[in-house]
Amino acid sequence: MDLNRRQFFKAAGIGLAGASIGALGMAPAPAFAEQVRHFKLAHTRETRNTCPYCSVGCGLILYGQGDGAKNVAQNIIHIEGDADHPVNRGTLCPKGAGLLDFIHSPNRLQYPQVRKPGSNEWTRIGWDEALDRVAELMKADRDAHFIEKNEKGQTVNRWTTTGFLAASAASNEAGYLTHKVVRSLGMLGFDNQARV
Ligand code: SF4
């Protein structure tokens, strides 16, 4: 074999490096696949939902541990865009992609609270009590302030002293029904969290 000077030093250097690694015990051992690593979402429960952040309304799949039994605590471990959703087709913006932090945030409000008149503290109440209280207060305010006719005697049916803020995670159908209920009560102050 004919080698010029440059080729000779190159071949000698490679051989020396290989011999040194072997002699020092640094050569990697042969790798064998001992077991198949489990797919981390294999035993999770999938729930479809809508991103709560903005009016785009991207579809989500939430992956939770727990089989849904009453005595099993659910724990959501992964969220990704819903590839079957017509709005986002599996994609999420950085806000939506970070929803796991939002769900597990210690500051997240998970139950109704009330701050009674004159108090500076919030008290936890049950959902039934909260919904009854909202209904009673809405009725009392509407009975007291509903405007049936304006100063010209024209029928206006306005209720201007209470407002309503709807959720951006609502579906089209839920949004349509919410709008119908709010307007049928005569309420004018109506907005959606998606615009915030
Ligand atoms: S993922 Fe981003 S774009 Fe989609 S609804 Fe959420 S905040 Fe809006």
Side-chain angles (χ1 to χ4, degrees):
M1 180 170 60
D2 289 336
L3 292 177
N4 63 27
R5 189 167 177 271
R6 180 179 293 274
Q7 287 168 330
F8 171 78
F9 282 119
K10 198 171 171 185
I14 291 171
L16 185 63
S20 303
I21 288 173
L24 293 172
M26 291 167 64
F32 297 102
E34 291 178 1
Q35 63 177 49
V36 178
R37 191 164 162 234
H38 290 295
F39 182 46
K40 74 172 183 180
L41 304 179
H43 301 294
T44 54
R45 196 158 175 251
E46 289 183 28
T47 309
R48 288 194 150 70
N49 214 317
T50 308
C51 176
Y53 279 129
C54 88
S55 54
V56 176
C58 295
L60 308 166
I61 304 179
L62 289 73
Y63 295 86
Q65 289 174 326
D67 60 4
K70 287 255 184 229
N71 57 348
V72 174
Q74 290 281 316
N75 180 31
I76 295 173
I77 60 163
H78 181 71
I79 294 178
E80 64 188 27
D82 184 352
D84 294 327
H85 198 281
V87 169
N88 55 321
R89 297 183 186 275
T91 62
L92 292 175
C93 81
K95 276 202 301 183
L99 266 172
L100 204 57
D101 293 339
F102 167 81
I103 287 175
H104 295 303
S105 167
N107 298 323
R108 184 178 160 213
L109 188 62
Q110 300 186 49
Y111 41 79
Q113 294 182 326
V114 63
R115 194 181 67 180
K116 297 196 171 150
S119 169
N120 62 357
E121 290 191 2
W122 292 92
T123 312
R124 180 173 180 171
I125 57 174
W127 284 102
D128 287 345
E129 185 184 350
L131 292 172
D132 285 350
R133 185 177 165 84
V134 168
E136 284 163 10
L137 290 173
M138 285 177 70
K139 176 154 184 359
D141 188 67
R142 189 172 184 273
D143 288 349
H145 299 111
F146 189 73
I147 303 167
E148 201 174 329
K149 293 189 184 294
N150 64 11
E151 56 282 356
K152 295 180 186 167
Q154 297 164 322
T155 301
V156 289
N157 290 335
R158 289 180 192 143
W159 179 20
T160 60
T161 50
T162 292
F164 199 98
L165 183 67
S168 55
S171 62
N172 280 350
E173 292 76 12
Y176 177 83
L177 288 173
T178 307
H179 188 272
K180 284 287 178 193
V181 169
V182 167
R183 294 300 189 217
S184 66
L185 290 169
M187 201 181 285
L188 296 187
F190 179 37
D191 209 336
N192 193 291
Q193 182 265 333
R195 292 180 352 108
V196 175

